[in-house]
């Protein structure tokens, strides 16, 4: 068990560019979550996968954001045409089971949009 | 969105003091969790409470879930510098698919 891994740890990009983040959950975990967190605030839910199916997506999530989990293992989060307001820490978490359980978080990807 | 308000937002205390952090909502939650987060890292789960009125202890930390399952508190006895961090409560959402996180309490324990 190597924990939840996120890559890259830091990303600096210019406004208007596209960025993609990767999350490798704990291997036997079927549930995967993406959250966004700004400094001093709690994480904000973005989207949730059970295996490869994306079952829930925040209504607040712009259509510039898309996430995939093609084989029910790793996941990617893409942001198109980045804006300065997208600057935040993007956290991935995974868990096991049918219901809500213990979330294991990765260390996050810190995105800075210039 | 089910909102969770935490208070205080910031807390700075001396080592050895006691403190209580509150998590309040107008919504009922089927379960509630408390996490601690250090700078540059993801949150780490401390406890899950499920039953209204439930009290759980984890060494010097005492967690309580309100009778109506709308609020919770975290009490730390004899705080230590290692307790420094961002404390987050998180309530299970309506769909049962995700947790809504509170606004957070940033705790600093001064040696």
């Amino acid at each position: 068990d190597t924990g939840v891994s996120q890559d890259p740890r830091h990303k600096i990009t210019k406004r208007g560019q596209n960025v993609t983040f990767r999350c490798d959950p704990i291997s036997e975990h079927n549930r995967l979550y993406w959250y966004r967190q700004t400094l001093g605030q709690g994480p904000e839910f973005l989207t949730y996968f059970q295996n490869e199916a994306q079952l829930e997506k925040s209504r607040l999530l712009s259509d510039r954001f898309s996430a995939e989990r093609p084989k029910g293992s790793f996941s990617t989060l893409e942001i198109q045409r980045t804006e300065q307001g997208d600057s935040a820490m993007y956290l991935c978490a995974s868990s096991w089971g049918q219901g809500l359980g213990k979330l294991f978080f990765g260390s996050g990807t810190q995105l800075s949009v210039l | 969105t089910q909102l969770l308000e935490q208070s205080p937002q910031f807390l700075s205390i001396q080592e050895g003091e006691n403190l209580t952090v509150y998590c309040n909502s107008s919504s009922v939650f089927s379960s509630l969790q408390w996490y601690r987060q250090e700078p540059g890292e993801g949150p780490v789960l401390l406890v899950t409470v499920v039953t209204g009125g439930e009290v759980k202890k984890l060494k010097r930390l005492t967690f309580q879930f309100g009778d109506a399952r709308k609020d919770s508190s975290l009490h730390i006895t004899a705080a230590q510098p290692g307790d420094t961090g961002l404390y987050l409560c998180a309530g299970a959402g309506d769909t049962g698919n995700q947790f809504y996180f509170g606004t957070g309490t940033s705790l600093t324990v001064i040696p």
Side-chain angles (χ1 to χ4, degrees), chain A residues 44 58-60, chain B residues 1-4 27 29 94 98 100-101:
Chain A
E44 174 192 16
S58 170
R59 291 190 297 273
L60 302 175
Chain B
T1 302
Q2 296 168 263
L3 295 176
L4 284 160
S27 302
F29 293 99
D94 288 343
Q98 48 124 329
Y100 290 100
F101 280 82

Side-chain angles (χ1 to χ4, degrees), chain B residues 28-50:
Chain B
V28 175
F29 293 99
S30 58
S31 66
L32 193 140
Q33 298 183 331
W34 283 93
Y35 290 79
R36 187 168 77 92
Q37 184 178 22
E38 296 188 14
E41 298 296 328
V44 176
L45 180 67
L46 297 173
V47 76
T48 302
V49 286
V50 177

Side-chain angles (χ1 to χ4, degrees), chain A residues 9 33 35 37 56 101 107, chain B residues 33 37 40-41 95 97 99:
Chain A
R9 287 295 308 270
Y33 306 79
Y35 282 85
Q37 185 178 26
E56 190 166 339
S107 297
Chain B
Q33 298 183 331
Q37 184 178 22
E41 298 296 328
T95 63
N97 288 334
F99 280 99

Side-chain angles (χ1 to χ4, degrees), chain A residues 14-39:
Chain A
K14 291 183 180 179
R15 190 173 48 189
Q17 297 294 305
N18 299 342
V19 293
T20 300
F21 310 140
R22 177 179 170 121
C23 171
D24 287 272
I26 293 172
S27 59
E28 64 270 23
H29 284 186
N30 58 334
R31 298 166 73 104
L32 186 146
Y33 306 79
W34 285 99
Y35 282 85
R36 176 172 62 189
Q37 185 178 26
T38 52
L39 192 63

Side-chain angles (χ1 to χ4, degrees), chain B:
Chain B
T1 302
Q2 296 168 263
L3 295 176
L4 284 160
E5 295 286 338
Q6 289 186 237
S7 62
Q9 186 177 1
F10 299 97
L11 190 55
S12 181
I13 62 170
Q14 294 291 132
E15 182 177 359
E17 292 183 350
N18 302 334
L19 67 114
T20 302
V21 174
Y22 299 93
C23 173
N24 295 289
S25 176
S26 58
S27 302
V28 175
F29 293 99
S30 58
S31 66
L32 193 140
Q33 298 183 331
W34 283 93
Y35 290 79
R36 187 168 77 92
Q37 184 178 22
E38 296 188 14
E41 298 296 328
V44 176
L45 180 67
L46 297 173
V47 76
T48 302
V49 286
V50 177
T51 306
E54 182 177 2
V55 177
K56 280 192 174 179
K57 292 191 175 183
L58 183 66
K59 297 183 180 178
R60 294 176 294 101
L61 278 60
T62 301
F63 305 86
Q64 184 163 7
F65 201 12
D67 291 340
R69 290 184 288 127
K70 292 183 178 182
D71 56 86
S72 181
S73 64
L74 158 60
H75 182 80
I76 301 179
T77 303
Q80 299 177 359
D83 296 327
T84 293
L86 180 68
Y87 287 82
L88 297 158
C89 62
D94 288 343
T95 63
N97 288 334
Q98 48 124 329
F99 280 99
Y100 290 100
F101 280 82
T103 48
T105 293
S106 179
L107 171 65
T108 302
V109 181
I110 302 165

